[in-house]
Amino acid sequence: MSRLLLSVLIPAFALASGIASGAVAAGLKVGVVAPVDGPFALLGRQVLEGARFQAEARGSQVIAIPETCEADGAEALKAAVAAAGAEALVGFLCTESLDAILPTLGGTGVPAISLSVRSDILMEDARKNGWPFYRLVPNARKETEKIASVIIERWKGEPLALIDDGTIHGRDLVEGVRSALAETGLTPVFTDTYRPAQEQQVSLVRRLGRSGATRVLIGGDRTDASIIARDARSEKLALTLLGGEALDAADQPVPLADGVLAVTLPEAEILPEATATAGAMRAANIEPEGYTLPAFAAMTLLEQAKDRALKDSTPLADALLKASYPTVIGAIRFDAGHELADNPYRLMEWRQGRFADAPPPGE
């Protein structure tokens, strides 16, 4: 992209993302820990492109630090991080990388921000040891909380079924929702654990029909949800299906039926805060997909936090807790435990080949 084009686009997408004018005051040196080869190289490239796009706009410096996502690469990763001398670290698509780096950051004031790792055990260790670890993805509890709130708001008077695929995630998700619903006095009319990865689920669908359930929470993956929706339709059974983030996956081998609901994270590029930045990226031949916009958001977050740190004479890691910072993926605010304070999950509906915001209740 030419310097002239950048000079035209940068003010536009900075204002559109709501970035405060003070965010341009201080550039910073950021180590971007992301895969550069292997099966995750595409994701790593998205992280680097997003971070560099923002760095170029703000006068910050990005240092690429290869992430192997293997435990035996720990020493090389620690050496690369130490050599970078970065003020902050961003990326970390794999738990193994954080396991290696976080113990070295205690007391340094150098924050590490993951764009994808959701391990509750790792976060508990970070809090216990005072490691400056933050993440831009919600923990599993927020998914459960959102699903329960959707059911209470929309389905409280409807016959509800809770089914799961027997996996740890599926079982824990459904049990967490069941417990939350029980506190409000809502009891399902049917519960079951089904066998996943079957070519058909007619028997399960018929049991759901006999139970009288019309609303079904599925603790399972997209393929199973697609098959259940297909078989319900073939049995002429009107079921409204709801799943979690696992439904936001490849649409194969059985296409997901329109109208299936999922509590998931919206694609970053459809957020109104991201419109101008996504357009500017495309003008620079960068596709704003996957981790590209979240990496861009992480950079704007850190730059604003650095301005706050300089103003308050506090470490950068502490400044991340001081305010809600606007970004292209929405305002980011951390709670005292370094988790996202606000729940980013939304109720989405599958329509015409993609998830879009579900219509309001009653429509």
Side-chain angles (χ1 to χ4, degrees):
M1 179 184 291
S2 70
R3 291 184 181 276
L4 176 60
L5 184 56
L6 274 172
S7 68
V8 172
L9 288 174
I10 287 169
F13 64 72
L15 289 173
S17 64
I19 298 171
S21 60
V24 301
L28 76 164
K29 189 176 184 181
V30 177
V32 177
V33 182
V36 296
D37 53 29
F40 304 122
L42 172 61
L43 303 181
R45 184 166 69 249
Q46 293 169 356
V47 176
L48 282 164
E49 286 181 337
R52 284 172 173 155
F53 195 74
Q54 171 63 6
E56 291 172 1
R58 301 291 176 186
S60 293
Q61 179 183 0
V62 164
I63 301 171
I65 300 174
E67 180 178 26
T68 65
C69 296
E70 296 178 359
D72 60 8
E75 293 307 314
L77 179 60
K78 285 191 283 188
V81 167
E87 298 171 74
L89 301 167
V90 165
F92 295 105
L93 302 189
C94 303
T95 304
E96 293 85 354
S97 307
L98 288 164
D99 285 338
I101 295 303
L102 287 180
T104 71
L105 300 181
T108 66
V110 176
I113 300 179
S114 174
L115 303 182
S116 70
V117 172
R118 306 192 187 201
S119 168
D120 288 336
I121 294 175
L122 182 64
M123 181 57 85
E124 290 170 6
D125 287 344
R127 284 195 287 263
K128 181 175 64 177
N129 293 289
W131 300 333
F133 174 48
Y134 300 79
R135 51 187 173 190
L136 298 190
V137 286
N139 58 31
R141 185 179 67 254
K142 291 193 183 296
E143 181 184 22
T144 300
E145 290 171 352
K146 182 62 177 179
I147 291 174
S149 70
V150 165
I151 292 173
I152 292 167
E153 177 186 0
R154 294 174 175 250
W155 296 353
K156 193 164 187 179
E158 305 292 341
L160 171 69
L162 304 179
I163 61 175
D164 70 81
D165 61 4
T167 63
I168 293 174
H169 180 265
R171 186 173 63 247
D172 287 350
L173 177 67
V174 169
E175 178 57 26
V177 171
R178 187 201 63 76
S179 297
L181 297 180
E183 294 178 3
T184 70
L186 199 160
T187 303
V189 299
F190 179 82
T191 59
D192 196 11
T193 297
Y194 62 87
R195 291 184 62 190
Q198 303 299 298
E199 293 184 359
Q200 55 86 18
Q201 292 285 359
V202 173
S203 176
L204 170 64
V205 165
R206 288 174 178 170
R207 293 199 303 276
L208 285 166
R210 290 194 295 270
S211 76
T214 60
R215 307 291 190 270
V216 183
L217 171 63
I218 301 175
D221 66 20
R222 184 187 181 103
T223 299
D224 289 333
S226 297
I227 290 171
I228 291 168
R230 180 202 65 191
D231 291 351
R233 193 167 56 249
S234 70
E235 292 292 308
K236 297 181 171 54
L237 185 61
L239 296 178
T240 301
L241 306 181
L242 168 66
E245 194 173 7
L247 267 59
D248 193 2
D251 197 32
Q252 58 182 359
V254 178
L256 192 64
D258 281 0
V260 173
L261 300 169
V263 163
T264 186
L265 301 175
E267 295 178 22
E269 65 176 295
I270 73 170
L271 299 174
E273 298 94 333
T275 302
T277 301
M281 285 182 171
R282 289 193 175 98
N285 295 317
I286 296 172
E287 188 59 33
E289 61 185 357
Y291 290 110
T292 311
L293 285 166
F296 180 97
M299 288 294 294
T300 65
L301 167 70
L302 284 166
E303 286 164 346
Q304 293 174 85
K306 180 174 180 179
D307 288 343
R308 184 67 181 249
L310 292 173
K311 177 183 176 183
D312 297 346
S313 298
T314 59
L316 177 59
D318 293 345
L320 287 169
L321 297 170
K322 298 290 187 179
S324 175
Y325 296 107
T327 77
V328 294
I329 60 173
I332 294 175
R333 180 169 60 95
F334 294 108
D335 61 22
H338 297 192
E339 298 276 19
L340 291 174
D342 302 313
N343 194 334
Y345 280 111
R346 286 156 60 165
L347 179 63
M348 313 289 283
E349 182 181 70
W350 186 254
R351 293 195 301 267
Q352 299 179 345
R354 69 181 303 170
F355 276 114
D357 283 322
E363 289 190 10

